[in-house]
Amino acid sequence: MSNTDDIQSIIDIVKSCENAVLATNRLDGYPDVRTIMNALNADITDLHLHFITDADSPKFKQIAHNQKCCIYYFNPETRMAVRLFGEMQNVDDIDAKKRYWHDRYRQFGYTGPDDANLILMEFMPKTYKFYDRNDELKTGLI
């Protein structure tokens, strides 16, 4: 399987998952893991992944301190999973926030895409690790 095939397999896994697990590093250096919504990545065509969070959330503070993190996707129906290792960054572009805004985010207390508490984050994976359908370990650079 070529790297292009690997990337497409990863995109397929990401698109199939409602949630993912984000691992960051706490300010004291210990790992911190939590479930995050994957709704912004349902229709991706590349691995520029986006998520929202609060400006006052621990994860935002952790990422501001250390952008390196891991996102783990697992689809319980297909049993396919992938780990993506890379860096998360804050996206300050209001046009991007408008593009990713959904009115359902109001249920989380956000007033709109220009809400100062709404943080749009972009994850840029650098490496990956997953097992294909033949249980062959796939790793590589993105």
Side-chain angles (χ1 to χ4, degrees):
M1 185 182 288
S2 71
N3 186 278
T4 302
D5 291 339
D6 285 358
I7 300 301
Q8 188 56 54
S9 293
I10 294 166
I11 289 170
D12 292 344
I13 294 168
V14 169
K15 289 169 63 171
S16 76
C17 296
E18 289 183 27
N19 299 300
V21 176
L22 172 65
T24 57
N25 293 289
R26 294 186 331 196
L27 300 182
D28 63 4
Y30 285 97
D32 195 358
V33 179
R34 83 280 285 148
T35 301
I36 54 175
M37 294 184 322
N38 192 44
L40 298 180
N41 303 306
D43 298 318
I44 60 167
T45 58
D46 60 32
L47 289 174
H48 294 221
L49 305 176
H50 292 86
F51 306 92
I52 61 167
T53 193
D54 294 339
D56 59 354
S57 73
K59 86 170 99 19
F60 180 67
K61 292 175 181 138
Q62 292 166 0
I63 291 167
H65 181 73
N66 181 352
Q67 294 180 326
K68 293 178 182 175
C69 54
C70 176
I71 299 180
Y72 176 70
Y73 284 93
F74 174 72
N75 182 316
E77 294 172 10
T78 64
R79 307 293 298 168
M80 296 299 293
V82 64
R83 281 175 277 178
L84 299 172
F85 305 90
E87 296 185 8
M88 187 84 74
Q89 59 189 346
N90 181 20
V91 178
D92 282 332
D93 179 19
I94 189 63
D95 291 329
K97 283 185 170 186
K98 288 178 181 176
R99 191 168 49 253
Y100 287 101
W101 171 257
H102 294 280
D103 280 335
R104 67 179 175 264
Y105 297 154
R106 293 184 191 282
Q107 71 182 340
F108 303 116
Y110 302 118
T111 58
D114 57 349
D115 187 321
N117 197 38
L118 174 69
I119 301 297
L120 177 64
M121 300 181 301
E122 181 177 36
F123 179 72
M124 300 298 294
K126 296 185 182 299
T127 64
Y128 61 87
K129 184 176 185 179
F130 74 100
Y131 290 90
D132 68 11
R133 296 196 181 278
N134 298 317
D135 287 332
E136 182 181 343
L137 177 63
K138 299 290 185 173
T139 62
L141 301 173
I142 297 176

